[in-house]
Amino acid sequence: RKEVEQDPGPFNVPEGATVAFNCTYSNSASQSFFWYRQDCRKEPKLLMSVYSSGNEDGRFTAQLNRASQYISLLIRDSKLSDSATYLCVVGSSYKLIFGSGTRLLVRP
Amino acid sequence: GAVVSQHPSWVICKSGTSVKIECRSLDFQATTMFWYRQFPKQSLMLMATSNEGSKATYEQGVEKDKFLINHASLTLSTLTVTSAHPEDSSFYICSARVRDQRGYTFGSGTRLTVV
């Protein structure tokens, strides 16, 4: 079983749609949680950290459920520029473990 | 913000040669640098962790004699792919944790093609 699992997608949605990504992780001792965005052939860029209380940054909302070892990302009012691969990332001790990513395609 | 400068951004080399990839932290001191590899349509896989002034820690299955890591200063870490083979062709990315921040900053990556 992978340490961090994500649905690879792709999610193909129209502009303005709301889309949700889910992620599960296997190590209950994990301490930090992030969503990163990766554009094709580019390095990952931090989208947001994820906290147990849930957090929001503009159109993006992230949730963490430690009991279920589940992380989510909600994108509202999708823009064409949101098209990318979204990586669920879990930190344990000093290491980051990356999910394989969920690809999002936003169409006009 | 914290920036990690990675060079080269792409390189093509012949089988059997060695390639050195550099990562420099430009405006902060990176005591620890992480080296990742990403094959097409796969996730980033941690190869090794380099600590300034000490030996790197390699992940299981990563050959330390093939992927030489040097972290001689607080601002520079290098990865040398020795005796490169076509199967080493991949996207190599370095990353450092920025003090007082929960996130990690990444270099822009090096696309290695071995022919």
Side-chain angles (χ1 to χ4, degrees):
Chain A
R1 183 189 171 189
K2 291 182 182 177
E3 290 188 71
V4 179
E5 295 216 49
Q6 292 181 254
D7 181 343
F11 285 61
N12 192 324
V13 303
E15 267 188 294
T18 295
V19 61
F21 303 142
N22 302 318
C23 167
T24 58
Y25 61 96
S26 60
N27 185 353
S28 59
S30 299
Q31 300 158 341
S32 53
F33 309 89
F34 311 92
W35 282 101
Y36 276 77
R37 170 194 170 130
Q38 187 175 26
D39 293 290
C40 189
R41 294 176 172 263
K42 299 281 189 181
E43 76 277 19
K45 298 205 171 178
L46 178 65
L47 182 64
M48 58 198 305
S49 299
V50 189
Y51 305 105
S52 296
S53 55
N55 48 301
E56 186 174 309
D57 183 0
R59 298 182 292 110
F60 300 86
T61 301
Q63 294 277 355
L64 167 64
N65 185 322
R66 283 186 182 267
S68 303
Q69 295 178 200
Y70 171 93
I71 307 163
S72 67
L73 176 68
L74 183 76
I75 304 176
R76 291 181 298 277
D77 188 24
S78 300
K79 311 291 185 192
L80 295 177
S81 57
D82 292 335
S83 297
T85 296
Y86 291 82
L87 305 173
C88 176
V89 184
V90 174
S92 301
S93 299
Y94 64 92
K95 287 168 46 169
L96 287 183
I97 307 297
F98 285 78
S100 54
T102 299
R103 193 166 170 219
L104 173 64
L105 301 172
V106 182
R107 63 180 187 270
Chain B
V3 175
V4 172
S5 176
Q6 182 170 350
H7 294 280
S9 55
W10 60 270
V11 59
I12 301 173
C13 71
K14 290 184 178 181
S15 289
T17 60
S18 295
V19 174
K20 179 185 280 190
I21 301 169
E22 290 190 352
C23 279
R24 294 180 184 273
S25 55
L26 297 187
D27 48 4
F28 69 101
Q29 294 182 331
T31 53
T32 302
M33 193 75 78
F34 303 94
W35 288 93
Y36 295 87
R37 178 168 54 182
Q38 185 178 33
F39 292 106
K41 298 187 179 181
Q42 294 186 27
S43 63
L44 277 73
M45 297 299 296
L46 181 64
M47 299 175 65
T49 303
S50 73
N51 295 294
E52 186 265 336
S54 63
K55 289 184 179 180
T57 302
Y58 289 80
E59 296 299 302
Q60 192 172 12
V62 178
E63 300 174 59
K64 62 180 180 180
D65 295 328
K66 180 171 179 60
F67 299 99
L68 301 179
I69 290 175
N70 186 284
H71 195 150
S73 77
L74 287 171
T75 58
L76 175 63
S77 179
T78 62
L79 167 67
T80 301
V81 182
T82 63
S83 188
H85 288 279
E87 55 264 32
D88 297 326
S89 299
S90 186
F91 190 50
Y92 293 85
I93 313 177
C94 60
S95 173
R97 183 166 188 172
V98 184
R99 188 172 291 183
D100 297 331
Q101 293 185 25
R102 296 191 68 203
Y104 294 70
T105 188
F106 286 81
S108 53
T110 298
R111 191 159 300 280
L112 170 64
T113 302
V114 184
V115 297

